[in-house]
């Protein structure tokens, strides 16, 4: 991903820096459909998921084969007549996207808590690292995103009923998965940041281990494993562009499990 608002620069001068904390995110702006996952309002946190979790490989920029990988999930309707789960300013929302994003501010540094001390000591924000923001975005549709080049569906077992959005977020929060920084691709003329696939793959593995989702996709004719798909970039129509091992970001408090047989191949060069 490219740094927001800084398309041609990696300048991270201190007078333009914004200090953030993983555990004290910015507040969710009222009446908006997107914000920090850890600041999710109670009303939104209580929304129930309809029984499936999708992994989407979103087109990035001009569609040169790179993808931004995210989760999305349809929500159970709270309006049986209209089918929507949530209304914000007279707009209806049917699903939710959950992802690790580059915050929409020019430059970030971690606060001086234990989480940020290591990075602030010998690394420069915007050059050596970019703190991620665990993000929730409500979607005005209940289908694959138009920008998704490839979409995979993982269903919940029958034993998982009435799972709320807040409970899904808590799986990541309780494991400190949200304390994550993107790292730069080496040698790029314009600073690009890697790590979204790493975050989603480890989140997916946690959900599989906890029995919240099935390990294989729902397609009865050709069930697939996320590990077999996430190590590729995709173009429009799900066409494989090229194999690319999962590039790692950095989990500050979470111990990445890249040796589990369910994900090992995706990290293997």
């Amino acid at each position: 991903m490219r740094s927001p608002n800084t398309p041609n620069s990696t300048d991270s001068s201190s007078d333009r820096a914004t200090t953030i904390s993983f555990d004290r995110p910015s507040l969710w702006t009222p009446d908006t459909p997107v914000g920090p996952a850890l600041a999710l309002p109670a009303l939104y946190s209580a929304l129930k998921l309809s029984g499936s979790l999708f992994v989407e490989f979103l087109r990035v920029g001009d569609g040169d084969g790179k993808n931004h990988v995210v989760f999305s999930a349809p929500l159970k309707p709270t309006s049986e007549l209209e089918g929507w789960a949530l209304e914000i300013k007279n707009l209806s929302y049917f699903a939710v996207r959950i992802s690790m994003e580059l915050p929409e501010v020019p430059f970030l540094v971690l606060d001086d808590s234990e989480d940020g001390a290591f990075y602030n000591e010998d690394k420069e924000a915007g050059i050596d690292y970019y703190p991620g923001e665990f993000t929730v975005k409500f979607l005005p549709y209940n289908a694959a995103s138009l920008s998704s080049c490839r979409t995979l569906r993982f269903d919940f077992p029958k034993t998982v009923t009435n799972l709320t959005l807040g409970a899904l977020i808590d799986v990541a929060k309780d494991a400190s998965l949200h304390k994550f920084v993107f790292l730069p691709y080496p040698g790029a003329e314009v600073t690009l940041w890697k790590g979204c696939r790493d975050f989603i793959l480890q989140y997916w593995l946690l959900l599989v281990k906890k029995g919240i989702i099935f390990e294989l996709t729902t397609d009865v004719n050709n069930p697939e494993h996320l590990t077999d798909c996430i190590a590729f970039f995709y173009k429009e129509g799900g066409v494989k562009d090229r194999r690319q091992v999962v590039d790692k970001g950095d989990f500050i408090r979470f111990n990445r499990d890249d040796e589990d047989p369910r994900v090992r191949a995706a990290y293997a060069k």
Side-chain angles (χ1 to χ4, degrees):
M1 290 191 292
R2 179 172 291 178
S3 304
N5 303 326
T6 56
N8 298 304
S9 174
T10 56
D11 173 25
S12 56
S13 53
S14 59
D15 60 333
R16 298 180 64 187
T18 301
T19 301
I20 67 165
S21 168
F22 289 119
D23 289 321
R24 297 185 301 279
S26 57
L27 297 178
W28 189 290
T29 303
D31 297 325
T32 58
V34 60
L38 267 61
L40 193 66
L43 175 66
Y44 301 165
S45 182
L47 293 170
K48 294 178 181 178
L49 307 182
S50 69
S52 299
L53 185 70
F54 295 84
V55 176
E56 294 190 316
F57 295 76
L58 304 183
R59 181 179 62 252
V60 175
D62 57 5
D64 62 355
K66 292 185 176 64
N67 305 117
H68 180 41
V69 181
V70 304
F71 280 148
S72 67
L75 299 165
K76 285 187 177 180
T78 56
S79 168
E80 296 298 335
L81 182 63
E82 301 294 336
W84 47 260
L86 181 68
E87 269 199 327
I88 302 175
K89 286 190 173 181
N90 295 321
L91 295 177
S92 300
Y93 296 90
F94 301 84
V96 63
R97 179 179 295 162
I98 304 167
S99 59
M100 185 60 68
E101 301 290 339
L102 297 172
E104 291 290 336
V105 296
F107 306 107
L108 293 173
V109 296
L110 297 177
D111 69 1
D112 289 324
S113 68
E114 186 178 3
D115 291 330
F118 168 76
Y119 276 91
N120 292 340
E121 181 178 351
D122 60 357
K123 298 180 186 298
E124 188 170 358
I127 294 179
D128 300 309
Y129 74 98
Y130 205 121
E133 185 169 64
F134 190 26
T135 301
V136 163
K137 180 179 182 180
F138 292 103
L139 305 174
Y141 49 82
N142 199 11
S145 300
L146 292 177
S147 60
S148 181
C149 296
R150 181 84 194 277
T151 300
L152 305 172
R153 172 178 167 178
F154 298 90
D155 281 351
F156 302 163
K158 291 182 179 180
T159 53
V160 177
T161 59
N162 296 320
L163 183 71
T164 65
L165 175 57
L168 190 67
I169 296 299
D170 284 345
V171 172
K173 177 185 175 183
D174 293 346
S176 293
L177 198 73
H178 64 291
K179 298 180 179 184
F180 181 84
V181 300
F182 291 94
L183 299 178
Y185 279 102
E189 292 184 5
V190 176
T191 304
L192 301 174
W193 301 96
K194 60 185 179 181
C196 65
R197 293 185 300 155
D198 187 20
F199 173 79
I200 289 294
L201 186 56
Q202 290 297 312
Y203 199 170
W204 172 89
L205 182 59
L206 278 178
L207 296 172
V208 170
K209 287 179 177 179
K210 290 179 176 293
I212 294 175
I213 57 173
F214 286 116
E215 187 174 331
L216 296 176
T217 60
T218 306
D219 188 342
V220 294
N221 296 318
N222 183 32
E224 295 183 277
H225 199 287
L226 182 57
T227 300
D228 298 329
C229 303
I230 203 168
F232 289 90
F233 288 143
Y234 295 90
K235 293 184 177 181
E236 296 288 348
V239 177
K240 288 181 179 178
D241 180 60
R242 63 188 184 277
R243 189 179 190 277
Q244 176 67 44
V245 299
V246 171
D247 297 301
K248 295 177 180 177
D250 199 357
F251 295 98
I252 294 180
R253 295 291 164 216
F254 173 76
N255 291 320
R256 177 192 295 105
D257 187 354
D258 54 8
E259 291 299 323
D260 187 289
R262 290 166 289 197
V263 300
R264 185 190 302 134
Y267 290 104
K269 295 183 178 181

